[in-house]
Amino acid sequence: MVAIVDSGSTKSDWVILDDFKQVFLKTETIGFNPNFISKELIVPEIKKNTSLTSVKNSIRKIYFYGSGCGVQQNCDTIIEELGKVFTDAEIIVKEDLTAAAYAAYRGKPAIVCILGTGSNSCYFDGVNIKIQLPSLGFLVGDEGSGSAIGKQLVRRFFMQKLPEDLSNEFEKTYNLTVDEALKNMYHTTRPNAYLADFNKFVVERKNHPYLQQMVHEEMLNFFDYQVIPYKESKNAEINFIGSIAYYYEDILRAAAAELNLNVGQIVQKPIESLVSYHIQYVL
């Protein structure tokens, strides 16, 4: 059996293929981004999933694509921890941008972007992936991402920038205190996922003019920092992977049009396309 894993900062999608390249199992775990989760939590989280533990001795190869895995040390951490559960498997770890490039590939070169809990971009010509810009994480980077939009919402609420109607609704929805917010942002293992969770509030009210403008500004920031520096952005199709791109598609496309950029396909969950790519090109 072969496992294909797409791991973000919030959750991981697992697909297990049998020896005939047929889907045997689909399941989920939390996201295993080594920048945010303690490595000691990885094995216990996998063992909570009885579907995975029931087939762990039959898996011979794991293709793991994860956020935070653009650094070799983090790749080694994932290999080490997965190896404690899947003891007979060869484990191949690459960063989530590689998964996005594979999942969004439509036979021609394109800029591929991730807009989920975090954000990132690359250029994929069908063979080679060019990563021109670093991923700086939610504290400094991740423009346009769920954590960036959530950060904007929380900041504007506490700094009394939200219109009265949105401020009242936010307070009623979350009953959030400054102390509680600071605790979750600075003293928990997954602060980026905590901030990204506030997108539920924004998505439910995304037609509100104030929130539309707020999200539009974040999308412009994303294009400015993570797309326009690629010289290929003037002509190449720009494809997106991730829930934030999916939920704010209309705002994203409007921001791109303002900058004369060509947005192609937007895929909410890349795992299905990623599996198809492996069946066709890898396995």
Side-chain angles (χ1 to χ4, degrees), residues 194-213:
Y194 169 75
L195 287 168
D197 197 48
F198 287 103
N199 275 275
K200 294 176 183 177
F201 182 91
V202 181
V203 169
E204 289 171 358
R205 300 162 178 81
K206 71 173 187 175
N207 291 327
H208 192 291
Y210 183 88
L211 294 179
Q212 277 198 335
Q213 182 61 32

Side-chain angles (χ1 to χ4, degrees), residues 30-283:
I30 67 168
F32 297 140
N33 184 334
N35 291 329
F36 298 109
I37 187 172
S38 169
K39 71 175 186 177
E40 287 78 14
L41 294 177
I42 295 176
V43 170
E45 286 294 333
I46 293 175
K47 288 184 175 180
K48 285 180 184 178
N49 188 306
T50 55
S51 296
L52 287 177
T53 56
S54 69
V55 298
K56 65 183 180 68
N57 295 326
S58 299
I59 295 176
R60 296 293 177 259
K61 184 171 283 190
I62 299 175
Y63 294 94
F64 183 98
Y65 301 90
S67 57
C69 292
V71 179
Q72 187 59 48
Q73 181 179 347
N74 287 350
C75 292
D76 293 340
T77 295
I78 295 296
I79 292 171
E80 178 184 358
E81 296 307 313
L82 293 187
K84 293 176 182 177
V85 179
F86 306 99
T87 54
D88 296 322
E90 176 189 357
I91 302 168
I92 300 167
V93 177
K94 298 182 180 180
E95 66 179 313
D96 54 349
L97 265 179
T98 302
Y102 291 165
Y105 185 59
R106 298 200 293 181
K108 61 182 181 180
I111 291 176
V112 180
C113 305
I114 294 174
L115 272 183
T117 299
S119 65
N120 215 335
S121 63
C122 68
Y123 178 74
F124 185 50
D125 63 8
V127 178
N128 300 305
I129 296 173
K130 179 174 73 172
I131 301 173
Q132 185 171 315
L133 305 163
S135 176
L136 297 177
F138 82 107
L139 284 176
V140 181
D142 280 352
E143 297 83 6
S145 69
S147 61
I149 293 170
K151 186 192 302 183
Q152 284 284 357
L153 182 67
V154 171
R155 180 173 67 176
R156 294 184 186 202
F157 170 72
F158 284 118
M159 302 310 290
Q160 301 179 21
K161 296 293 186 181
L162 292 180
E164 185 176 0
D165 59 334
L166 290 177
S167 182
N168 290 339
E169 289 179 28
F170 184 94
E171 187 168 15
K172 182 179 179 181
T173 301
Y174 296 106
N175 193 28
L176 186 64
T177 65
V178 172
D179 288 345
E180 181 184 353
L182 291 175
K183 177 182 177 181
N184 281 287
M185 287 187 289
Y186 291 98
H187 301 287
T188 60
T189 57
R190 301 165 71 215
N192 58 336
Y194 169 75
L195 287 168
D197 197 48
F198 287 103
N199 275 275
K200 294 176 183 177
F201 182 91
V202 181
V203 169
E204 289 171 358
R205 300 162 178 81
K206 71 173 187 175
N207 291 327
H208 192 291
Y210 183 88
L211 294 179
Q212 277 198 335
Q213 182 61 32
M214 185 182 80
V215 174
H216 186 82
E217 290 170 3
E218 269 303 319
M219 296 307 170
L220 290 176
N221 281 339
F222 174 79
F223 285 119
D224 185 28
Y225 280 89
Q226 299 203 40
V227 174
I228 291 175
Y230 286 90
K231 67 179 186 299
E232 295 87 355
S233 66
K234 296 177 181 178
N235 300 307
E237 187 173 75
I238 305 166
N239 297 325
F240 284 84
I241 299 291
S243 58
I244 294 301
Y246 177 81
Y247 288 123
Y248 300 119
E249 178 175 356
D250 53 342
I251 302 175
L252 176 64
R253 289 187 182 277
E258 186 175 318
L259 298 170
N260 295 313
L261 299 173
N262 176 30
V263 173
Q265 68 170 341
I266 294 175
V267 179
Q268 180 182 8
K269 297 180 68 173
I271 189 65
E272 301 295 340
S273 299
L274 185 61
V275 170
S276 297
Y277 181 91
H278 279 74
I279 292 173
Q280 184 173 356
Y281 296 106
V282 180
L283 301 178

Side-chain angles (χ1 to χ4, degrees), residues 9-35:
S9 293
T10 302
K11 69 180 182 68
S12 302
D13 289 310
W14 295 67
V15 172
I16 312 300
L17 301 179
D18 63 20
D19 294 336
F20 301 98
K21 301 182 183 180
Q22 299 297 310
V23 175
F24 179 81
L25 171 68
K26 295 180 181 180
T27 189
E28 293 182 0
T29 63
I30 67 168
F32 297 140
N33 184 334
N35 291 329

